Amino acid sequence: MDILIQLIANGVLLGGVFALISIGLTLIFGIVRVVNFAHGELLMVGLYATWLLSAKLGIHPYLAAVPLAIAFFFLGALMQRAIIQPLMNADPHIQIFATVGIGTALANGALMIFSADLRSVDVPWARQATDLFGLASVSRGNLVAFAVSGIATTGLILFLRRTHLGRAIRAVAQNRYAAPLMGIDVNRIYAITFGIGAGCVGLAAAVLAPLYPAFPTVGSFFVLTAFVVVVLGGMGSLEGAVIGALIIGLVESLAGYYVAPDLKEVVYFLIFLGILIVRPAGLFGVRGAE
Amino acid sequence: MLRLEGLRAGYGPVTVLQDVSLEVNAGEVVTIVGGNGAGKTTTLRAICGLIKPQGGRITVDGRDTSRLAPPEIVDLGITMIPEGRQLFPFMTVRENLMLGGFKPAARARIPERLEEVLTLFPRVRERMTQLAGSLSGGEQQMVAIARGMMANPRLLMFDEPSLGLAPLIVKQVFQIIDTVVASGTTVLIVEQNIVHTLQIATRGYVLENGRVAMSGPGPELLRDPHVKRAYLGV
């Protein structure tokens, strides 16, 4: 029984980490209708940036979180304006080449600059375990990542529901033809959405840096899971991404113990396939929603 | 207020409008009628900035607007209610109306404007919390008109407001357009249903093959032998 509670706690916390990475991906897909295959590499860049700030300038990763999120917002918006915008009316496979190309360039750029060595940000406080109501023991860094993920996701959902800009972003997703007739600058919305998606990654990088080392291909380690989460939740649905991330986190944690550590991915892909057979649009997927 | 001079426009290499000149003055109800493919919708799209003219001029209060983007046209006080309603289906009626008031000048007074618009459209008030996509066609058309009114436009353009609606509903839609006109908004209507529109129009233009074939006061056009033969089948 004790071990079960511990596994559930680990799974939920892991799900929180996945959620933070996945909401940016699902937002970009839902609004801009472009699959950002460079999403994982943006996370990699963020992890290196956090490492540089911490190791070279002595800035605590948690202090770097908000500035990094803002910097990544502009990086994402710039990436959309410079590379994606000229391809907005191109075939989807051209857009895929572009984002895969950005990802490949970033990963190999990092390999050139930083070599393949692991770069860890050492934050002893984040590695220490803390007691959860005497039921389970988890690392403080994981708790911080989970809390940040919860705040960011809730904030983003409220932003989309309650603000003029948020409504305009959803309007563009729901009816691209009518949105400009309301006075909405659709291309500006695309850049802002890409910026928000990248900003989530910047935030994620800063809170994940104390837990995961930076290396050139760390992006692919996270992004495959993020894609599963996004499709499972329903592409474009933020709530779906959160639920999907928690499911994948729990399955990974439980299957890693009860089945076999090497088979945990097999188990979640089986569950993933099963859900897609029953609900092809994902758990919360509605065509055109969000 | 609005003037088109020798407007030529189309899509890519295709030219739909060959030579369209017309004007809309403040307080008027102007209609553009004509058959399918005559270029009625293309004219409205060019005015909105959705397509860029290939030639000619579009001016609003004397200012050339041919190169402006749609949001800038909306800022000038020109709003289009598109064909087929084009609501935001997964948002509530309230959210749709709030988006109608998205332009900076309208945003500050959304609550007051919402009250004014809902006074004109009491039926919409009953549907405020429903998803726009769940409404009937007639109700959606009312929401689309109310959404257009939220921008507090000087000129409101209707693209085929009666399309796809039952005859009884069409009658209601024209009553609503009467209400809009009575509220002092200048109106430009594009319609295939020419009897209704020409009856309420101060002036009408008949568009044929991308050119203005005739123009004149609405009821007068309705009595014209050519219009009767070509569009009413009598």
Side-chain angles (χ1 to χ4, degrees):
Chain A
M1 189 60 200
D2 284 355
I3 186 73
L4 181 64
I5 292 170
Q6 177 67 47
L7 289 171
I8 289 173
N10 290 353
V12 169
L13 292 184
L14 187 63
V17 170
F18 291 151
L20 191 52
I21 299 167
S22 307
I23 50 173
L25 191 63
T26 205
L27 186 72
I28 291 173
F29 176 77
I31 314 293
V32 194
R33 297 276 149 183
V34 167
V35 181
N36 181 21
F37 283 99
H39 204 71
E41 279 66 34
L42 283 178
L43 180 73
M44 179 272 295
V45 171
L47 287 171
Y48 273 113
T50 314
W51 170 72
L52 282 174
L53 289 172
S54 165
K56 307 288 174 193
L57 299 174
I59 297 169
H60 194 284
Y62 294 158
L63 282 180
V66 172
L68 211 57
I70 294 169
F72 267 61
F73 171 87
F74 288 105
L75 184 71
L78 186 73
M79 184 171 135
Q80 196 279 335
R81 268 285 143 92
I83 301 170
I84 310 296
Q85 184 62 40
L87 302 174
M88 280 308 292
N89 294 320
D91 280 348
H93 68 263
I94 307 278
Q95 297 165 351
I96 290 172
F97 275 124
T99 60
V100 169
I102 296 168
T104 311
L106 289 175
N108 286 287
L111 189 61
M112 262 172 64
I113 299 168
F114 299 107
S115 82
D117 295 346
L118 303 187
R119 312 285 179 173
S120 301
V121 177
D122 193 28
V123 184
W125 179 88
R127 289 183 199 282
Q128 279 169 27
T130 189
D131 208 49
L132 270 188
F133 316 110
L135 294 170
S137 165
V138 295
S139 87
R140 288 170 178 171
N142 259 323
L143 274 182
V144 170
F146 184 79
V148 168
S149 172
I151 292 166
T153 313
T154 313
L156 195 55
I157 290 173
L158 286 177
F159 163 74
L160 289 172
R161 291 253 169 90
R162 302 276 168 86
T163 67
H164 288 290
L165 185 58
R167 260 192 298 276
I169 289 175
R170 285 189 296 142
V172 169
Q174 292 184 19
N175 193 332
R176 254 162 227 252
Y177 173 67
L181 299 176
M182 307 295 114
I184 297 169
D185 183 342
V186 174
N187 290 341
R188 191 167 147 260
I189 296 291
Y190 290 153
I192 290 173
T193 306
F194 237 87
I196 294 172
C200 290
V201 172
L203 191 63
V207 296
L208 293 182
L211 306 169
Y212 299 92
F215 54 96
T217 54
V218 65
S220 52
F221 173 76
F222 283 102
V223 85
L224 179 64
T225 313
F227 275 114
V228 172
V229 164
V230 166
V231 176
L232 184 65
M235 294 176 90
S237 163
L238 294 190
E239 292 87 344
V242 173
I243 304 290
L246 292 175
I247 291 175
I248 298 294
L250 279 171
V251 170
E252 242 196 78
S253 170
L254 294 172
Y257 181 82
Y258 289 112
V259 185
D262 290 343
L263 289 178
K264 61 187 182 188
E265 270 137 16
V266 175
V267 175
Y268 83 61
F269 271 109
L270 281 176
I271 290 176
F272 176 58
L273 286 176
I275 290 176
L276 285 194
I277 288 167
V278 183
R279 286 191 63 90
L283 291 172
F284 290 79
V286 181
R287 244 188 92 79
E290 271 309 324
Chain B
M1 178 192 284
L2 172 76
R3 180 190 287 272
L4 311 186
E5 291 163 77
L7 180 68
R8 220 154 53 78
Y11 307 91
V14 182
T15 301
V16 179
L17 302 181
Q18 304 294 344
D19 176 14
V20 174
S21 297
L22 59 85
E23 60 179 332
V24 181
N25 301 310
E28 278 190 313
V29 180
V30 175
T31 182
I32 304 174
V33 297
N36 246 336
K40 306 186 299 294
T41 296
T42 308
T43 308
L44 292 192
R45 287 190 173 184
I47 296 170
C48 286
L50 288 172
I51 55 172
K52 299 284 166 259
Q54 297 166 346
R57 263 160 58 90
I58 304 172
T59 55
V60 175
D61 298 329
R63 180 183 165 200
D64 191 335
T65 61
S66 337
R67 301 284 141 204
L68 296 186
E72 296 169 297
I73 303 289
V74 174
D75 282 345
L76 285 177
I78 298 180
T79 294
M80 173 160 91
I81 295 161
E83 177 184 327
R85 280 86 71 176
Q86 304 288 350
L87 298 178
F88 303 108
F90 301 103
M91 287 196 222
T92 62
V93 169
R94 177 182 293 276
E95 287 183 299
N96 269 273
L97 295 183
M98 290 181 81
L99 278 162
F102 181 77
K103 69 170 184 178
R107 216 177 293 172
R109 2 184 355 263
I110 282 181
E112 297 95 310
R113 187 64 189 158
L114 201 56
E115 261 321 298
E116 292 166 22
V117 169
L118 290 177
T119 314
L120 293 179
F121 303 95
R123 289 271 304 279
V124 174
R125 197 190 288 271
E126 299 160 18
R127 298 278 180 265
M128 288 297 270
T129 54
Q130 272 179 254
L131 291 186
S134 71
L135 303 182
S136 72
E139 288 170 331
Q140 287 194 18
Q141 186 63 59
M142 280 179 212
V143 174
I145 297 173
R147 185 181 65 175
M149 292 289 283
M150 283 299 294
N152 199 8
R154 294 189 297 150
L155 171 63
L156 194 56
M157 305 193 291
F158 293 82
D159 191 3
E160 307 272 9
S162 72
L163 195 76
L165 299 178
L168 197 67
I169 309 291
V170 171
K171 224 175 134 189
Q172 288 178 11
V173 167
F174 277 97
Q175 280 167 1
I176 286 170
I177 294 174
D178 279 339
T179 319
V180 172
V181 171
S183 75
T185 312
T186 308
V187 167
L188 175 61
I189 310 173
V190 150
E191 256 296 351
Q192 292 194 43
N193 184 343
I194 75 163
V195 179
H196 267 114
T197 25
L198 285 175
Q199 274 167 357
I200 63 167
T202 42
R203 277 182 319 110
Y205 292 86
V206 180
L207 217 56
E208 283 174 5
N209 299 319
R211 291 170 204 279
V212 176
M214 302 163 84
S215 63
E220 205 169 285
L221 280 180
L222 206 50
R223 287 191 296 271
D224 184 272
H226 171 73
V227 172
K228 277 187 171 170
R229 203 169 43 246
Y231 300 102
L232 300 172
V234 289

